[in-house]
Amino acid sequence: VHSTALFRVQHAGAGQFWGRFNDVNGNVTYTPDKQEHFSFDIDIDLESVDSGNEKLDQHLKSPDFFNAKEFEKMTFKSTEVERLGQNVWDVTGDLTLNGVTKKVIAVVRFTGTAELMGRRAGFEAEFDIKRSDFEHNYGIEKGVLGDRTRVVVGIEAVKAKDS
């Protein structure tokens, strides 16, 4: 409920168009006192894309963009972690989108922890992808849309019952 993913892409060579995904799930392994005990895996339901405009949402779900009927999810599975500081990591992982898997590096930041309604911890990940690497070419050739997309994922993780 308290997790989301945002994306932005340049539109018409001028402004940044922002959208979001409302259905984000994931698993985070985090042990504060163990330097390398960290993993970050997320699943984003592409049907949950939300631009604030229903007609645009339908286009974003189409094969021109996310092709949500054929490829239901965008996933990131961490494969390597480098701790950059007390609360920040470079996380290399396999990003799968549109049936294509590529290595990307996400900067993941710890945003806090609390003992409210169970033990919870917050994390924010940010990474850039080249749309054409994932066969998302709509609008690139004519310059209507940029080839680079930034993705920002906010996760509020709840401690697993068996941990």
Side-chain angles (χ1 to χ4, degrees):
V1 170
H2 297 101
S3 299
T4 193
L6 304 171
F7 65 93
R8 76 170 191 213
V9 63
Q10 191 168 36
H11 180 260
Q16 297 288 329
F17 167 77
W18 285 88
R20 74 182 208 176
F21 296 98
N22 297 319
D23 190 354
V24 177
N25 293 292
N27 289 303
V28 179
T29 301
Y30 172 61
T31 307
D33 57 345
K34 294 185 180 174
Q35 283 271 356
E36 302 309 318
H37 196 223
F38 186 84
S39 67
F40 189 86
D41 301 338
I42 55 172
D43 293 322
I44 299 171
D45 182 347
L46 298 175
E47 273 289 325
S48 73
V49 68
D50 183 353
S51 68
N53 181 292
E54 184 59 34
K55 186 176 178 183
L56 179 55
D57 291 348
Q58 292 310 311
H59 192 207
L60 290 170
K61 293 175 190 180
S62 79
D64 285 346
F65 290 100
F66 296 114
N67 201 2
K69 294 260 186 275
E70 186 175 352
F71 303 104
E72 297 174 353
K73 297 196 181 294
M74 175 184 353
T75 61
F76 178 88
K77 304 295 181 203
S78 59
T79 57
E80 286 181 53
V81 174
E82 179 184 355
R83 193 171 202 155
L84 302 177
Q86 182 63 31
N87 295 319
V88 64
W89 300 262
D90 267 354
V91 180
T92 301
D94 293 327
L95 181 76
T96 302
L97 176 63
N98 202 33
V100 177
T101 302
K102 298 276 185 184
K103 290 241 182 261
V104 300
I105 298 175
V107 176
V108 180
R109 291 178 177 82
F110 171 73
T111 60
T113 189
E115 293 286 343
L116 298 169
M117 301 173 289
R119 185 157 177 82
R120 27 188 94 239
F123 299 89
E124 187 173 278
E126 190 173 313
F127 56 90
D128 292 323
I129 61 171
K130 189 173 176 186
R131 293 176 52 232
S132 57
D133 284 349
F134 295 90
E135 299 176 13
H136 280 208
N137 298 308
Y138 184 88
I140 294 172
E141 187 176 307
K142 293 182 180 178
V144 176
L145 292 172
D147 195 14
R148 294 259 174 222
T149 298
R150 167 137 318 150
V151 180
V152 179
V153 180
I155 294 284
E156 184 175 307
V158 178
K159 184 176 181 182
K161 292 188 190 304
D162 60 343
S163 306

